[in-house]
Coordinates of all heavy atoms in Angstrom, one line a residue:
M178 N -2.5 66.7 -80.3 CA -2.5 67.2 -79.0 C -3.3 68.4 -78.7 O -3.5 69.2 -79.7 CB -1.0 67.3 -78.4 CG -0.9 67.6 -77.1 SD 0.9 67.5 -76.6 CE 0.7 67.4 -74.9
A179 N -4.0 68.6 -77.6 CA -4.9 69.6 -77.3 C -4.1 71.0 -77.0 O -5.0 72.0 -76.8 CB -5.7 69.2 -76.2
G180 N -2.9 71.1 -77.2 CA -2.3 72.4 -77.0 C -1.9 72.8 -75.5 O -1.5 74.0 -75.3
G181 N -2.0 71.9 -74.6 CA -1.6 72.3 -73.3 C -0.1 72.1 -73.1 O 0.7 71.6 -73.9
R182 N 0.4 72.7 -71.9 CA 1.8 72.4 -71.6 C 2.1 71.0 -71.2 O 1.3 70.3 -70.7 CB 2.2 73.4 -70.5 CG 2.3 74.8 -70.8 CD 2.8 75.7 -69.8 NE 3.1 75.1 -68.4 CZ 3.4 75.8 -67.4 NH1 3.4 77.0 -67.4 NH2 3.6 75.2 -66.3
P183 N 3.3 70.5 -71.5 CA 3.6 69.1 -71.2 C 3.8 69.0 -69.7 O 4.2 70.1 -69.1 CB 4.9 68.8 -71.9 CG 5.4 70.1 -72.3 CD 4.3 71.1 -72.5
T184 N 3.5 67.9 -69.0 CA 3.6 67.8 -67.6 C 5.0 67.7 -67.2 O 5.8 67.2 -67.9 CB 2.8 66.5 -67.1 OG1 2.9 66.5 -65.8 CG2 3.3 65.2 -67.7
V185 N 5.2 68.4 -66.0 CA 6.6 68.2 -65.6 C 6.7 66.9 -64.5 O 7.7 66.5 -64.1 CB 7.0 69.5 -64.7 CG1 7.0 70.6 -65.5 CG2 6.0 69.7 -63.6
M186 N 5.6 66.3 -64.3 CA 5.4 65.2 -63.4 C 5.8 63.9 -64.2 O 5.0 63.1 -64.6 CB 4.1 65.1 -62.7 CG 3.9 66.2 -61.7 SD 5.1 66.2 -60.4 CE 4.5 64.8 -59.4
T187 N 7.0 63.8 -64.6 CA 7.5 62.6 -65.4 C 7.9 61.6 -64.5 O 8.1 61.8 -63.3 CB 8.7 63.2 -66.3 OG1 9.8 63.6 -65.4 CG2 8.3 64.2 -67.3
E188 N 8.2 60.4 -65.1 CA 8.6 59.3 -64.2 C 9.9 59.6 -63.5 O 10.0 59.3 -62.3 CB 8.9 58.1 -65.1 CG 7.5 57.5 -65.6 CD 7.4 56.0 -65.5 OE1 8.2 55.5 -65.1 OE2 6.3 55.6 -66.1
P189 N 11.0 60.3 -64.0 CA 12.1 60.7 -63.3 C 11.8 61.6 -62.1 O 12.4 61.5 -61.0 CB 13.0 61.4 -64.3 CG 12.7 60.7 -65.6 CD 11.1 60.5 -65.5
V190 N 10.9 62.5 -62.3 CA 10.6 63.5 -61.3 C 9.8 62.8 -60.2 O 10.1 63.0 -58.9 CB 9.7 64.6 -61.8 CG1 9.0 65.5 -60.7 CG2 10.4 65.6 -62.8
I191 N 8.9 61.9 -60.5 CA 8.2 61.1 -59.6 C 9.2 60.2 -58.8 O 9.1 60.2 -57.5 CB 7.1 60.3 -60.2 CG1 6.0 61.2 -60.7 CG2 6.5 59.3 -59.1 CD1 5.0 60.6 -61.5
A192 N 10.1 59.7 -59.4 CA 11.2 58.9 -58.7 C 12.0 59.7 -57.7 O 12.3 59.2 -56.6 CB 12.0 58.2 -59.7
K193 N 12.2 60.9 -58.1 CA 13.1 61.8 -57.2 C 12.1 62.1 -56.0 O 12.7 62.1 -54.8 CB 13.5 63.0 -58.0 CG 14.6 62.9 -58.9 CD 14.8 64.2 -59.6 CE 16.0 63.9 -60.8 NZ 16.2 65.1 -61.4
L194 N 10.9 62.4 -56.2 CA 9.9 62.7 -55.1 C 10.0 61.6 -54.1 O 10.0 61.7 -52.9 CB 8.7 63.0 -55.6 CG 8.4 64.4 -56.3 CD1 7.1 64.5 -57.0 CD2 8.5 65.5 -55.4
E195 N 9.7 60.3 -54.7 CA 9.6 59.1 -53.9 C 10.8 58.9 -53.1 O 10.8 58.4 -51.9 CB 9.2 57.9 -54.8 CG 7.7 58.1 -55.1 CD 7.3 56.9 -56.1 OE1 8.1 56.0 -56.7 OE2 6.1 56.8 -56.3
A196 N 12.0 59.0 -53.7 CA 13.3 58.8 -53.0 C 13.5 59.8 -51.8 O 13.8 59.5 -50.7 CB 14.6 59.0 -53.9
A197 N 13.0 61.1 -52.0 CA 13.0 62.0 -50.9 C 12.1 61.6 -49.9 O 12.4 61.7 -48.7 CB 12.8 63.4 -51.4
F198 N 10.8 61.2 -50.2 CA 9.8 60.8 -49.2 C 10.3 59.7 -48.4 O 10.0 59.6 -47.2 CB 8.4 60.6 -49.8 CG 7.8 61.8 -50.5 CD1 7.2 61.8 -51.6 CD2 7.8 62.9 -49.7 CE1 6.6 62.9 -52.2 CE2 7.2 64.2 -50.2 CZ 6.6 64.1 -51.4
L199 N 11.1 58.7 -49.0 CA 11.6 57.6 -48.3 C 12.6 58.1 -47.3 O 12.8 57.3 -46.2 CB 12.3 56.7 -49.3 CG 11.6 55.6 -49.8 CD1 12.4 54.7 -50.9 CD2 11.1 54.5 -48.7
L200 N 13.2 59.2 -47.4 CA 14.1 59.7 -46.4 C 13.2 60.4 -45.3 O 13.9 61.0 -44.4 CB 15.1 60.7 -47.0 CG 16.1 60.0 -48.0 CD1 17.0 61.1 -48.7 CD2 16.9 58.9 -47.3
G201 N 12.0 60.6 -45.5 CA 11.2 61.4 -44.5 C 11.2 62.9 -44.8 O 10.7 63.7 -44.0
C202 N 11.5 63.3 -46.1 CA 11.4 64.7 -46.5 C 10.0 65.2 -46.3 O 9.1 64.6 -46.6 CB 12.0 65.0 -47.8 SG 13.8 64.7 -47.8
T203 N 10.0 66.5 -46.1 CA 8.7 67.3 -46.3 C 8.4 67.3 -47.7 O 9.1 67.2 -48.5 CB 8.8 68.6 -45.6 OG1 9.6 69.5 -46.4 CG2 9.2 68.6 -44.0
D204 N 7.1 67.8 -47.8 CA 6.8 68.0 -49.4 C 7.6 69.1 -50.0 O 8.1 68.9 -51.1 CB 5.2 68.5 -49.5 CG 4.2 67.5 -49.1 OD1 4.6 66.3 -48.9 OD2 3.1 67.8 -48.9
Q205 N 8.0 70.1 -49.3 CA 8.7 71.2 -49.8 C 10.1 70.7 -50.1 O 10.8 71.1 -51.1 CB 8.8 72.4 -48.9 CG 7.5 73.2 -48.7 CD 6.4 72.5 -47.8 OE1 6.8 71.5 -47.1 NE2 5.3 72.9 -48.0
E206 N 10.8 69.9 -49.2 CA 12.1 69.4 -49.4 C 12.1 68.5 -50.6 O 13.0 68.5 -51.4 CB 12.5 68.7 -48.2 CG 12.9 69.5 -47.0 CD 13.0 68.9 -45.6 OE1 12.4 67.7 -45.5 OE2 13.6 69.4 -44.8
A207 N 11.1 67.6 -50.7 CA 11.0 66.7 -51.8 C 10.9 67.4 -53.2 O 11.4 67.1 -54.1 CB 9.8 65.8 -51.6
C208 N 10.1 68.5 -53.2 CA 9.9 69.3 -54.4 C 11.2 70.0 -54.8 O 11.6 70.0 -56.0 CB 8.8 70.4 -54.2 SG 7.2 69.6 -54.1
F209 N 12.0 70.5 -53.7 CA 13.4 71.0 -54.0 C 14.1 70.0 -54.7 O 14.9 70.2 -55.8 CB 13.9 71.6 -52.7 CG 15.2 72.1 -53.0 CD1 15.5 73.3 -53.5 CD2 16.3 71.3 -52.7 CE1 16.8 73.8 -53.7 CE2 17.7 71.9 -52.9 CZ 17.9 73.1 -53.3
A210 N 14.1 68.7 -54.1 CA 15.0 67.7 -54.7 C 14.6 67.3 -56.2 O 15.4 66.9 -56.9 CB 15.0 66.5 -53.7
A211 N 13.4 67.4 -56.4 CA 12.9 67.0 -57.7 C 12.8 68.2 -58.7 O 12.6 67.9 -59.9 CB 11.5 66.4 -57.6
G212 N 13.1 69.3 -58.2 CA 13.1 70.5 -59.1 C 11.7 71.0 -59.5 O 11.5 71.5 -60.6
I213 N 10.7 70.9 -58.8 CA 9.3 71.3 -59.0 C 8.9 72.2 -57.8 O 9.6 72.2 -56.7 CB 8.4 70.2 -59.2 CG1 8.1 69.4 -57.9 CG2 8.9 69.3 -60.4 CD1 7.1 68.3 -58.0
V214 N 7.9 72.9 -58.0 CA 7.3 73.7 -56.9 C 6.2 72.9 -56.3 O 5.6 72.1 -56.8 CB 6.6 75.1 -57.5 CG1 7.8 76.0 -58.1 CG2 5.7 74.8 -58.7
P215 N 5.9 73.2 -55.0 CA 5.0 72.5 -54.3 C 3.6 72.5 -54.9 O 2.9 71.3 -54.8 CB 4.9 73.2 -52.9 CG 6.3 73.6 -52.8 CD 6.7 74.1 -54.1
S216 N 3.1 73.5 -55.6 CA 1.8 73.5 -56.1 C 1.7 72.6 -57.2 O 0.5 71.8 -57.4 CB 1.5 75.0 -56.7 OG 2.4 75.3 -57.6
T217 N 2.7 72.2 -57.9 CA 2.8 71.0 -58.9 C 2.5 69.8 -58.3 O 1.7 68.9 -58.6 CB 4.0 71.1 -59.7 OG1 4.2 72.3 -60.4 CG2 4.1 70.0 -60.6
L218 N 3.2 69.6 -57.1 CA 3.0 68.3 -56.4 C 1.6 68.2 -55.9 O 0.9 67.1 -56.0 CB 4.0 68.3 -55.2 CG 3.8 67.1 -54.2 CD1 4.0 65.8 -54.8 CD2 4.6 67.4 -53.0
Y219 N 1.0 69.3 -55.3 CA -0.2 69.2 -54.8 C -1.3 69.0 -55.7 O -2.2 68.2 -55.7 CB -0.6 70.5 -53.9 CG 0.3 70.7 -52.8 CD1 0.9 71.9 -52.5 CD2 0.8 69.6 -52.0 CE1 1.7 72.1 -51.4 CE2 1.7 69.7 -50.9 CZ 2.2 71.1 -50.6 OH 3.0 71.2 -49.7
R220 N -1.2 69.6 -57.0 CA -2.1 69.3 -58.0 C -2.2 68.0 -58.5 O -3.0 67.2 -58.8 CB -1.9 70.2 -59.2 CG -2.5 71.6 -59.0 CD -2.4 72.4 -60.4 NE -1.1 72.6 -60.9 CZ -0.3 73.5 -60.6 NH1 -0.7 74.4 -59.6 NH2 0.9 73.6 -61.2
Y221 N -0.9 67.4 -58.7 CA -0.7 66.0 -59.1 C -1.4 65.0 -58.0 O -2.0 64.1 -58.5 CB 0.7 65.8 -59.3 CG 1.0 64.3 -59.9 CD1 0.8 64.0 -61.2 CD2 1.6 63.3 -59.0 CE1 1.2 62.7 -61.7 CE2 1.7 62.0 -59.5 CZ 1.4 61.7 -60.8 OH 1.7 60.5 -61.2
A222 N -1.0 65.3 -56.8 CA -1.5 64.4 -55.7 C -3.1 64.4 -55.7 O -3.7 63.3 -55.4 CB -0.9 64.8 -54.3
E223 N -3.6 65.6 -55.9 CA -5.2 65.7 -55.8 C -5.7 64.9 -57.0 O -6.8 64.3 -56.9 CB -5.6 67.2 -56.0 CG -7.0 67.4 -55.8 CD -7.3 68.8 -55.8 OE1 -6.6 69.6 -55.2 OE2 -8.4 69.2 -56.3
A224 N -5.0 64.8 -58.2 CA -5.5 64.3 -59.4 C -5.2 62.7 -59.4 O -5.8 62.0 -60.1 CB -5.0 64.8 -60.6
N225 N -4.3 62.4 -58.4 CA -3.8 61.0 -58.4 C -3.9 60.5 -56.9 O -2.7 60.4 -56.2 CB -2.4 60.8 -59.0 CG -2.4 61.2 -60.4 OD1 -2.7 60.4 -61.3 ND2 -2.1 62.4 -60.8
P226 N -5.0 60.1 -56.4 CA -5.0 59.7 -55.0 C -4.2 58.6 -54.6 O -3.7 58.6 -53.4 CB -6.5 59.4 -54.8 CG -7.3 59.8 -56.0 CD -6.3 60.2 -57.1
E227 N -3.8 57.7 -55.5 CA -3.0 56.6 -55.2 C -1.5 57.1 -54.9 O -0.8 56.6 -54.1 CB -3.1 55.6 -56.3 CG -2.5 55.9 -57.6 CD -3.3 56.9 -58.5 OE1 -4.5 56.9 -58.2 OE2 -2.8 57.4 -59.5
F228 N -1.1 58.1 -55.7 CA 0.1 58.8 -55.4 C 0.2 59.4 -54.1 O 1.1 59.3 -53.4 CB 0.5 59.7 -56.5 CG 1.8 60.6 -56.2 CD1 3.0 60.0 -56.5 CD2 1.7 61.7 -55.7 CE1 4.2 60.7 -56.1 CE2 2.9 62.5 -55.3 CZ 4.0 61.9 -55.5
S229 N -0.9 60.1 -53.6 CA -1.0 60.7 -52.4 C -0.9 59.8 -51.3 O -0.2 60.1 -50.3 CB -2.3 61.5 -52.4 OG -2.4 62.3 -51.2
E230 N -1.5 58.7 -51.3 CA -1.4 57.6 -50.3 C 0.0 57.1 -50.3 O 0.4 56.8 -49.2 CB -2.4 56.5 -50.6 CG -3.8 56.9 -50.5 CD -4.8 55.7 -50.6 OE1 -4.4 54.6 -50.7 OE2 -6.1 56.0 -51.0
R231 N 0.7 56.9 -51.5 CA 2.0 56.3 -51.5 C 2.9 57.3 -50.9 O 3.9 56.8 -50.1 CB 2.4 55.9 -52.9 CG 3.8 55.5 -53.1 CD 4.0 54.8 -54.3 NE 5.4 54.4 -54.6 CZ 6.0 53.6 -53.9 NH1 5.6 52.8 -53.0 NH2 7.4 53.4 -54.2
K232 N 2.8 58.5 -51.0 CA 3.6 59.6 -50.6 C 3.6 59.6 -49.0 O 4.6 59.5 -48.5 CB 3.1 60.9 -51.1 CG 3.8 62.2 -50.4 CD 3.3 63.4 -51.0 CE 2.1 63.8 -50.0 NZ 1.9 65.3 -50.0
E233 N 2.4 59.4 -48.5 CA 2.3 59.4 -47.0 C 2.9 58.1 -46.5 O 3.4 58.1 -45.4 CB 0.9 59.6 -46.6 CG 0.3 60.9 -46.8 CD 1.1 62.1 -46.4 OE1 1.6 62.0 -45.3 OE2 1.4 63.0 -47.2
T234 N 2.8 57.0 -47.2 CA 3.4 55.7 -46.7 C 4.9 55.8 -46.7 O 5.4 55.4 -45.7 CB 2.8 54.5 -47.7 OG1 1.4 54.4 -47.5 CG2 3.5 53.2 -47.3
L235 N 5.4 56.4 -47.8 CA 6.8 56.4 -47.9 C 7.4 57.4 -46.9 O 8.5 57.1 -46.4 CB 7.2 57.0 -49.3 CG 7.0 56.1 -50.6 CD1 7.3 56.9 -51.8 CD2 7.8 54.9 -50.6
K236 N 6.8 58.3 -46.4 CA 7.2 59.2 -45.4 C 7.4 58.5 -44.1 O 8.1 59.0 -43.1 CB 6.3 60.4 -45.2 CG 6.4 61.5 -46.3 CD 5.4 62.6 -46.0 CE 5.6 63.8 -47.0 NZ 4.7 64.8 -46.6
Q237 N 6.8 57.4 -43.8 CA 6.8 56.6 -42.7 C 8.1 55.8 -42.7 O 8.4 55.3 -41.6 CB 5.6 55.6 -42.4 CG 4.4 56.5 -42.4 CD 4.3 57.6 -41.2 OE1 4.7 57.2 -40.0 NE2 4.0 58.7 -41.5
N238 N 8.8 55.6 -43.7 CA 10.0 54.7 -43.7 C 11.0 55.0 -42.6 O 11.5 54.1 -41.9 CB 10.6 54.9 -45.1 CG 11.8 53.9 -45.3 OD1 11.7 52.7 -45.1 ND2 13.0 54.5 -45.6
P239 N 11.5 56.3 -42.4 CA 12.5 56.5 -41.3 C 11.9 56.2 -39.9 O 12.6 55.8 -39.1 CB 12.7 58.2 -41.5 CG 12.3 58.4 -42.8 CD 11.2 57.5 -43.2
I240 N 10.7 56.4 -39.7 CA 10.1 56.2 -38.4 C 10.1 54.6 -38.2 O 10.5 54.1 -37.1 CB 8.6 56.7 -38.3 CG1 8.7 58.2 -38.4 CG2 7.9 56.2 -37.1 CD1 7.3 58.9 -38.6
Y241 N 9.8 53.9 -39.2 CA 9.7 52.4 -39.1 C 11.3 51.9 -38.8 O 11.4 51.1 -38.0 CB 9.2 51.8 -40.4 CG 9.5 50.3 -40.5 CD1 8.6 49.4 -39.8 CD2 10.5 49.9 -41.2 CE1 8.9 48.1 -39.8 CE2 10.8 48.3 -41.3 CZ 10.0 47.6 -40.5 OH 10.1 46.2 -40.5
K242 N 12.2 52.5 -39.7 CA 13.6 52.1 -39.4 C 14.1 52.4 -38.0 O 14.7 51.6 -37.4 CB 14.5 52.8 -40.5 CG 14.4 52.1 -41.8 CD 15.5 52.7 -42.8 CE 15.5 52.1 -44.1 NZ 16.5 52.4 -44.9
A243 N 13.7 53.6 -37.5 CA 14.2 54.0 -36.2 C 13.6 53.1 -35.1 O 14.3 52.6 -34.2 CB 13.8 55.4 -36.0
R244 N 12.3 52.8 -35.3 CA 11.7 51.9 -34.2 C 12.3 50.6 -34.3 O 12.5 50.0 -33.3 CB 10.2 51.7 -34.5 CG 9.3 53.0 -34.1 CD 7.9 52.8 -34.4 NE 7.2 54.0 -33.9 CZ 6.1 54.4 -34.3 NH1 5.4 53.6 -35.2 NH2 5.5 55.5 -33.9
N245 N 12.5 49.9 -35.6 CA 13.2 48.7 -35.7 C 14.6 48.7 -35.1 O 14.9 47.7 -34.4 CB 13.2 48.4 -37.1 CG 13.4 46.9 -37.4 OD1 13.0 46.0 -36.6 ND2 14.1 46.4 -38.4
L246 N 15.4 49.7 -35.3 CA 16.7 49.7 -34.8 C 16.6 49.8 -33.2 O 17.4 49.1 -32.5 CB 17.3 51.0 -35.3 CG 18.8 51.3 -34.8 CD1 19.7 50.1 -35.3 CD2 19.3 52.6 -35.3
I247 N 15.7 50.6 -32.6 CA 15.6 50.6 -31.2 C 15.2 49.4 -30.6 O 15.7 48.8 -29.6 CB 14.6 51.8 -30.8 CG1 15.1 53.2 -31.2 CG2 14.2 51.8 -29.3 CD1 14.2 54.3 -31.1
L248 N 14.2 48.7 -31.2 CA 13.7 47.4 -30.7 C 14.9 46.4 -30.8 O 15.0 45.6 -29.9 CB 12.5 47.0 -31.5 CG 12.0 45.7 -31.0 CD1 11.4 45.8 -29.6 CD2 10.7 45.3 -31.9
S249 N 15.6 46.4 -31.9 CA 16.7 45.4 -32.1 C 17.8 45.6 -31.0 O 18.3 44.7 -30.4 CB 17.3 45.6 -33.4 OG 16.4 45.1 -34.4
A250 N 18.1 46.9 -30.7 CA 19.1 47.2 -29.7 C 18.6 46.9 -28.3 O 19.4 46.3 -27.5 CB 19.3 48.7 -29.7
I251 N 17.4 47.0 -27.9 CA 16.8 46.6 -26.7 C 16.8 45.1 -26.6 O 17.3 44.6 -25.6 CB 15.3 47.2 -26.5 CG1 15.4 48.7 -26.3 CG2 14.6 46.6 -25.3 CD1 14.0 49.4 -26.5
E252 N 16.3 44.5 -27.5 CA 16.3 42.9 -27.5 C 17.7 42.5 -27.5 O 17.9 41.3 -26.8 CB 15.6 42.3 -28.7 CG 14.1 42.7 -28.6 CD 13.3 42.2 -29.9 OE1 13.9 42.0 -30.9 OE2 12.1 42.2 -29.8
G253 N 18.7 43.1 -28.1 CA 20.1 42.6 -28.1 C 20.8 43.0 -27.0 O 22.0 42.7 -26.8
G254 N 20.3 43.9 -26.1 CA 21.0 44.4 -25.0 C 22.1 45.5 -25.4 O 22.9 45.9 -24.6
D255 N 22.0 45.8 -26.6 CA 23.0 46.9 -27.2 C 22.5 48.3 -27.1 O 21.7 48.6 -28.0 CB 23.5 46.5 -28.5 CG 24.6 47.3 -29.0 OD1 25.1 48.1 -28.4 OD2 24.9 47.2 -30.3
T256 N 22.8 49.0 -26.1 CA 22.2 50.4 -26.1 C 23.2 51.4 -26.5 O 22.9 52.7 -26.4 CB 21.7 50.7 -24.6 OG1 22.7 50.5 -23.8 CG2 20.5 49.8 -24.3
A257 N 24.5 51.0 -26.7 CA 25.6 52.0 -26.9 C 25.7 52.2 -28.5 O 26.3 53.2 -28.8 CB 26.9 51.4 -26.4
S258 N 25.3 51.4 -29.3 CA 25.6 51.6 -30.8 C 24.4 51.5 -31.6 O 23.5 50.8 -31.3 CB 26.6 50.5 -31.1 OG 26.1 49.2 -31.3
A259 N 24.5 52.2 -32.7 CA 23.4 52.2 -33.7 C 24.0 51.7 -35.0 O 25.0 52.3 -35.4 CB 22.7 53.5 -33.8
H260 N 23.4 50.8 -35.6 CA 23.9 50.2 -36.9 C 23.4 51.0 -38.0 O 22.2 51.2 -38.2 CB 23.7 48.8 -36.9 CG 24.2 47.9 -35.7 ND1 25.6 47.8 -35.7 CD2 23.6 47.5 -34.6 CE1 25.8 47.0 -34.6 NE2 24.6 46.9 -33.9

């Protein structure tokens, strides 16, 4: 090995980040959940553009769910309850 520090961006850390992004968390909130600092996330995202794109896609999950719920309620005539 070349003598560098081991990466903190392990599969479990990435999984925690992705779970937080699915909830619509900010970068800072996701980093807190994963136990890393934002600069680590930003360096990793810069070096891994596919991860950066996935991160932004995952952040859209709550928006998609909310829109789907609203549309379902409108179509079903149910404006009083949210499932």
Side-chain angles (χ1 to χ4, degrees):
M178 187 165 195
R182 288 185 356 187
T184 182
V185 297
M186 293 299 286
T187 61
E188 293 224 6
V190 168
I191 293 169
K193 288 177 186 176
L194 288 168
E195 290 182 345
F198 292 136
L199 266 174
L200 296 173
C202 290
T203 65
D204 290 351
Q205 289 77 17
E206 292 166 335
C208 288
F209 177 79
I213 63 170
V214 295
S216 61
T217 299
L218 171 66
Y219 299 140
R220 279 193 303 274
Y221 183 79
E223 187 175 320
N225 298 277
E227 67 285 348
F228 172 81
S229 185
E230 288 178 23
R231 178 162 168 73
K232 174 183 85 152
E233 295 307 317
T234 299
L235 292 173
K236 286 182 175 185
Q237 296 303 309
N238 184 56
I240 296 166
Y241 170 79
K242 284 186 169 184
R244 285 183 179 157
N245 194 34
L246 179 64
I247 291 167
L248 184 60
S249 293
I251 290 169
E252 289 174 347
D255 182 11
T256 58
S258 67
H260 303 284

